[in-house]
């Protein structure tokens, strides 16, 4: 409907993230591709461009920094939607942990070890989904519940 009204195609917010077989696939392609694109062009690419070498370390730093920025931005959103409740840092930790693990995955996949050793898709899917469920339940969702974001969001969506 909105596509017809605006007269342009809109980028989908999600692309079946439950089918992700790696963290790179989850964050880079399937979870909010618009934000991924903004972080890639606004943080990752400029950091990689400043690096004299195109080593695994510069990729690691670029990916980790983009995730740190995303975590801080989410903390800011939670701060304002919770009525200015002091952030716990759990959301930033969630993104930093995911960023470090995603960056490590990227570097290992491109190394000689990663090129020789492959994981079956069903195993990598299980590992990816388990990691996402555990880290979300441990770090992300408690902040939402503590700040009452779920009630705030449903009130905004269903009452507006």
């Amino acid at each position: 409907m909105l596509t017809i009204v605006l007269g342009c195609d809109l980028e989908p917010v999600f692309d079946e993230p439950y089918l992700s077989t790696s963290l790179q696939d989850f964050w880079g392609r399937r979870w909010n591709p618009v934000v991924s694109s903004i972080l890639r062009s606004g943080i990752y690419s400029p950091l990689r461009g400043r690096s004299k070498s195109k080593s695994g370390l510069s990729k690691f730093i670029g990916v980790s920094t983009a995730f740190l920025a995303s975590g801080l931005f989410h903390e800011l959103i939670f701060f304002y939607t919770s009525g200015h409740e002091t952030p716990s840092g759990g959301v930033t930790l969630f993104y930093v942990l995911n960023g470090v693990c995603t960056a490590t995955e990227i570097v290992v996949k491109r190394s000689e070890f990663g090129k020789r050793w492959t994981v079956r898709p069903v195993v990598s899917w299980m590992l990816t989904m388990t990691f996402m469920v555990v880290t979300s339940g441990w770090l992300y969702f408690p902040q939402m519940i503590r700040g009452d974001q779920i009630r705030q969001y449903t009130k905004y969506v269903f009452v507006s």
Side-chain angles (χ1 to χ4, degrees):
M1 175 70 177
L2 196 56
T3 300
I4 295 169
V5 171
L6 294 176
C8 64
D9 289 332
L10 299 175
E11 187 79 28
V13 178
F14 304 108
D15 182 17
E16 299 176 318
Y18 51 84
L19 297 178
S20 301
T21 56
S22 70
L23 293 174
Q24 185 181 10
D25 182 33
F26 183 89
W27 291 113
R29 192 169 70 87
R30 296 184 180 272
W31 189 267
N32 208 341
V34 172
V35 172
S36 294
S37 176
I38 292 168
L39 290 171
R40 190 176 303 111
S41 63
I43 296 173
Y44 176 78
S45 293
L47 282 174
R48 291 273 293 152
R50 289 190 182 274
S51 173
K52 290 184 172 58
S53 73
K54 300 300 178 197
S55 68
L57 180 60
S58 67
K59 286 179 187 162
F60 187 90
I61 291 170
V63 170
S64 299
T65 304
F67 274 88
L68 173 62
S70 184
L72 293 171
F73 183 70
H74 279 81
E75 288 282 5
L76 187 63
I77 291 169
F78 284 178
F79 174 73
Y80 283 111
T81 59
S82 70
H84 299 89
E85 190 169 320
T86 305
S88 69
V91 175
T92 300
L93 183 57
F94 169 80
Y95 282 99
V96 167
L97 179 61
N98 273 269
V100 167
C101 290
T102 302
T104 302
E105 175 187 289
I106 291 167
V107 171
V108 168
K109 278 183 181 177
R110 295 188 177 145
S111 71
E112 285 302 315
F113 173 77
K115 290 175 184 172
R116 283 185 283 147
W117 190 69
T118 58
V119 180
R120 293 184 181 271
V122 69
V123 174
S124 63
W125 174 82
M126 291 273 297
L127 290 170
T128 302
M129 291 300 106
T130 300
F131 181 82
M132 292 309 300
V133 167
V134 169
T135 58
S136 297
W138 170 42
L139 296 167
Y140 195 86
F141 292 123
Q143 178 70 12
M144 288 184 77
I145 293 165
R146 182 176 80 95
D148 206 17
Q149 269 78 20
I150 295 171
R151 185 182 60 77
Q152 298 281 348
Y153 177 74
T154 54
K155 182 173 105 178
Y156 172 75
V157 169
F158 296 112
V159 174
S160 296

